[in-house]
Amino acid sequence: MVELSVTPLSSLADRLVRVHVRGLAPSQLVTLLASLTDERGIRFQARAFYRADGDGEVDAERHAALGGDFTGVWPMGLFWFLRPNTLFQRLVKRDVAGSPFRVHLEVFDALHLVTGPENQPLAACIAERWYVGPGVQRVPVREGRVRGALFLPP
């Protein structure tokens, strides 16, 4: 049985996470896909192709992506290379304190440049990426022409 894990599942957006796949056949080619939908409803995706090692594992910290949106060893590549499905859009988080980005990660058998409903993932999980830590207080700032927010630690 194939298992896809992200450790930790919930973390601050600037923290590193570990993406690991277990239970593959040795040397099996797979596609890892990360996707999220932002607050405006725009979908962002990143994909990378990997070959499992002799133990049937893919570890983004140790194994090089063979292609997709990046090549080489990029432990956070699936998060850093997210790009919009619609041209000229940026990934922006407006509600930084109220909710996280939920990044859906899936692993597919073989190499897939495009995935559709007919392609069923071997495994999937969801990672939460928060922009404000627990207990942080957000204070709006309006002084003269200055507008912003002050984030105070607990």
Side-chain angles (χ1 to χ4, degrees), residues 61-111:
E61 286 184 348
R62 297 184 297 121
H63 299 119
L66 306 173
D69 292 315
F70 58 93
T71 59
V73 178
W74 288 85
M76 295 293 294
L78 291 169
F79 297 90
W80 291 341
F81 289 93
L82 286 166
R83 57 190 170 109
N85 287 358
T86 310
L87 293 176
F88 309 114
Q89 300 296 322
R90 287 185 353 188
L91 183 59
V92 176
K93 183 72 172 135
R94 302 243 184 254
D95 180 17
V96 295
S99 65
F101 271 141
R102 287 183 172 81
V103 182
H104 297 260
L105 292 124
E106 298 171 304
V107 59
F108 295 90
D109 184 30
L111 306 181

Side-chain angles (χ1 to χ4, degrees), residues 94 96-97 131-133 135-141 148-154:
R94 302 243 184 254
V96 295
Y131 282 78
V132 175
V136 173
Q137 181 183 3
R138 181 181 187 271
V139 180
V141 175
L150 173 64
F151 292 88
L152 298 171

Side-chain angles (χ1 to χ4, degrees), residues 9-149:
L9 273 175
S10 184
S11 65
L12 290 173
D14 64 344
R15 299 290 192 246
L16 296 177
V17 295
R18 182 174 186 208
V19 178
H20 197 164
V21 183
R22 290 184 185 90
L24 300 168
S27 299
Q28 181 177 353
L29 287 171
V30 294
T31 300
L32 284 176
L33 176 69
S35 64
L36 69 83
T37 302
D38 74 1
E39 296 155 334
R40 298 168 296 159
I42 298 170
R43 188 171 165 88
F44 292 78
Q45 288 185 325
R47 78 183 63 239
F49 310 131
Y50 289 92
R51 182 180 303 277
D53 64 13
D55 295 325
E57 296 185 2
V58 170
D59 184 347
E61 286 184 348
R62 297 184 297 121
H63 299 119
L66 306 173
D69 292 315
F70 58 93
T71 59
V73 178
W74 288 85
M76 295 293 294
L78 291 169
F79 297 90
W80 291 341
F81 289 93
L82 286 166
R83 57 190 170 109
N85 287 358
T86 310
L87 293 176
F88 309 114
Q89 300 296 322
R90 287 185 353 188
L91 183 59
V92 176
K93 183 72 172 135
R94 302 243 184 254
D95 180 17
V96 295
S99 65
F101 271 141
R102 287 183 172 81
V103 182
H104 297 260
L105 292 124
E106 298 171 304
V107 59
F108 295 90
D109 184 30
L111 306 181
H112 292 279
L113 294 173
V114 177
T115 50
E118 68 279 1
N119 302 112
Q120 293 299 314
L122 299 172
C125 70
I126 297 174
E128 290 184 344
R129 305 294 283 168
W130 289 89
Y131 282 78
V132 175
V136 173
Q137 181 183 3
R138 181 181 187 271
V139 180
V141 175
R142 301 189 102 187
E143 188 67 39
R145 293 176 28 201
V146 175
R147 302 289 183 267

